[in-house]
Amino acid sequence: MKINWRKIALLADAKNEVIEAFSERGWMVSFEESEPVLWEGDECVSVYFVHSGSVEIYRTSMDGREHAMRILHEGESFNLVPALMKEGENLANARCLSRAELLVVDRADLNSILSRFPHFAVHVLQVMADRLAGMTKLVGELALLTVRQRTAAFLMREADNATLKKGKNWTQDEMARQIGTVRDVIGRILRDFEKKGYIHRIRGNISLIDREGLERTAKGTK
């Protein structure tokens, strides 16, 4: 399979010399559905780019409960932070939610490319700053919002990402891992949202009916 590095968001507008450097240093690896890619706490050796398929980034609590941090799709990257640390370890687990083709670059090669092309390094810093802002928002939601508010915010966020519009069948377990709760709680909240007319569910497909109602719920005003 021919590798199109420009389909990776981080490299979409990169200069040809940067693309050539990644082409020289990177390679593609195939993963099956549910296959792990990396484990939290292991030494960081590579950075990954999603060429096709989807990948879940998650952490596991002491009692074994999983919390999904992000679900990545074509064009997105992961494991950049530990790759840029002096002695980085993987900060989370990663597994494929579907059959996936991932582009891989060794940590040392990534740092070499950043050293050679300062303009690209600045771009990577800007991307990492955006991600930090997103993680800060997520931490704030977990600390300050109720599960009900987080569920409403999650549904609106996914609708904006067009995931629900494409017919994504979210299981309650998947939603619970992303929102930071358990399946039974999600089930009760979704039933209540449906009763109030905020959403409509058919076999796992969720349609937003009353976005304003969800917005009020997310803000805690209703």
Side-chain angles (χ1 to χ4, degrees):
M1 178 185 293
K2 183 178 180 180
I3 297 177
N4 179 11
W5 285 95
R6 290 201 181 277
K7 73 188 299 184
I8 305 303
L10 193 68
L11 297 166
D13 298 320
K15 294 183 178 180
N16 289 335
E17 56 189 1
V18 175
I19 297 296
E20 291 173 4
F22 275 89
S23 298
E24 292 172 358
R25 304 294 182 90
W27 68 95
M28 181 178 288
V29 181
S30 298
F31 290 85
E32 298 299 325
E33 181 178 348
S34 300
E35 186 174 355
V37 180
L38 52 83
W39 296 103
E40 176 185 351
D42 286 353
E43 179 185 1
C44 172
V45 296
S46 302
V47 62
Y48 299 83
F49 306 88
V50 184
H51 193 262
S52 65
S54 56
V55 176
E56 180 182 45
I57 308 300
Y58 68 100
R59 299 194 70 176
T60 305
S61 65
M62 294 291 289
D63 61 4
R65 191 173 68 180
E66 295 179 355
H67 177 70
M69 301 171 65
R70 294 181 68 196
I71 292 181
L72 307 176
H73 302 284
E74 180 181 301
E76 298 187 277
S77 56
F78 61 98
N79 224 37
L80 272 171
V81 172
L84 298 175
M85 295 170 64
K86 186 175 182 179
E87 295 180 358
E89 296 181 347
N90 299 332
L91 301 178
N93 308 293
R95 65 182 166 212
C96 295
L97 296 180
S98 63
R99 193 176 189 282
E101 305 283 350
L102 304 183
L103 304 178
V104 188
V105 176
D106 277 344
R107 174 184 178 183
D109 288 335
L110 173 67
N111 281 279
S112 175
I113 292 171
L114 294 175
S115 297
R116 289 169 56 194
F117 306 109
H119 54 279
F120 178 65
V122 171
H123 172 61
V124 171
L125 286 174
Q126 293 170 338
V127 170
M128 298 308 298
D130 288 340
R131 292 188 184 179
L132 177 59
M135 292 303 296
T136 301
K137 181 179 179 181
L138 176 61
V139 170
E141 288 182 357
L142 290 172
L144 302 174
L145 302 184
T146 65
V147 176
R148 185 180 179 84
Q149 289 176 289
R150 297 203 301 271
T151 303
F154 168 82
L155 292 173
M156 290 188 296
R157 185 166 58 245
E158 289 303 305
D160 291 341
N161 289 339
T163 301
L164 299 180
K165 295 176 184 177
K166 293 179 181 178
K168 164 66 179 176
N169 292 320
W170 287 106
T171 68
Q172 292 181 16
D173 285 329
E174 289 173 335
M175 292 182 66
R177 289 202 305 272
Q178 294 199 64
I179 294 168
T181 184
V182 295
R183 183 179 186 276
D184 291 346
V185 173
I186 289 296
R188 289 196 298 270
I189 292 173
L190 291 179
R191 286 193 295 271
D192 183 61
F193 283 176
E194 191 166 26
K195 182 179 179 180
K196 285 181 166 59
Y198 298 164
I199 63 172
H200 180 61
R201 293 186 295 167
I202 300 179
R203 298 177 182 175
N205 285 331
I206 303 175
S207 300
L208 270 61
I209 306 300
D210 183 359
R211 186 184 180 93
E212 290 184 359
L214 285 175
E215 288 179 343
R216 290 193 296 270
T217 300
K219 294 177 181 177
T221 58
K222 183 176 179 180

